[in-house]
Amino acid sequence: MLATVDNPSNAVEWTLAEMLNQPQLMQRVIEELNTVVGSNRLVQESDLARLNYVKACIKEAFRLYPISPFNVPHVSVSDTIISEKYFIPKGSVVLLSRLGLGRNPRVWEEPMKFKPERHLKENNGEVVLNDSELRLLSFSIGR
């Protein structure tokens, strides 16, 4: 968790490993890259907004293979009730399991299967790498 330098490369490795196991995913990514970027240049940051399926694959890799198993501990600043079920008193140390969130079968259909399409159904088809509903933690969630 402290040596976060290789996080992007780790996500890319897991994404590529999953695509090698499902060649139809790799083909779809290649087609999207050829359509958006072409074969005459490298991907630019400005292309990322239009590489929706690539972002879905990366988000799915973050869901299944998080950067670290837990988030950085946080301290609750007030009494809080989450999901009308869990009471967290002020001053409690809160530690979230990234693996538990991303692989929760009550939240994710077929939680152990790499399915980038599940992220295309949200936000009118626009893939956003963070998740405001805390179903997964791809990056930090702030305070």
Side-chain angles (χ1 to χ4, degrees):
M1 184 164 59
L2 298 175
T4 57
V5 174
D6 72 345
N7 290 345
S9 63
N10 195 24
V12 169
E13 283 181 40
W14 278 113
T15 305
L16 288 174
E18 287 289 353
M19 283 192 247
L20 288 172
N21 287 325
Q22 299 182 55
Q24 72 279 9
L25 299 181
M26 179 75 83
Q27 187 58 42
R28 186 165 174 190
V29 166
I30 290 169
E31 289 170 7
E32 183 178 70
L33 285 167
N34 286 338
T35 302
V36 174
V37 179
S39 58
N40 298 331
R41 65 180 181 88
L42 296 174
V43 176
Q44 303 293 316
E45 188 173 348
S46 59
D47 298 322
L48 295 178
R50 296 176 297 162
L51 292 172
N52 231 22
Y53 195 72
V54 170
K55 289 191 296 185
C57 289
I58 291 170
K59 187 171 182 176
E60 185 69 349
F62 279 139
R63 182 188 71 78
L64 270 176
Y65 311 108
I67 293 161
S68 64
F70 295 96
N71 73 319
V72 176
H74 289 65
V75 176
S76 63
V77 294
S78 64
D79 289 347
T80 305
I81 297 175
I82 297 183
S83 296
E84 301 174 7
K85 196 173 185 179
Y86 302 103
F87 175 72
I88 301 173
K90 178 181 180 180
S92 296
V93 175
V94 179
L95 192 63
L96 296 176
S97 168
R98 292 173 188 256
L99 282 171
L101 289 172
R103 298 177 180 189
N104 185 345
R106 291 181 293 182
V107 175
W108 302 101
E109 182 181 311
E110 297 181 275
M112 297 308 292
K113 186 165 170 74
F114 188 84
K115 292 173 37 176
E117 292 77 16
R118 71 176 89 227
H119 303 293
L120 296 173
K121 298 173 185 171
E122 307 164 358
N123 301 319
N124 296 324
E126 178 65 28
V127 176
V128 181
L129 291 177
N130 59 11
D131 190 334
S132 61
E133 296 178 16
L134 288 181
R135 295 174 303 154
L136 73 120
L137 297 174
S138 46
F139 302 104
S140 174
I141 58 169
R143 300 176 3 158

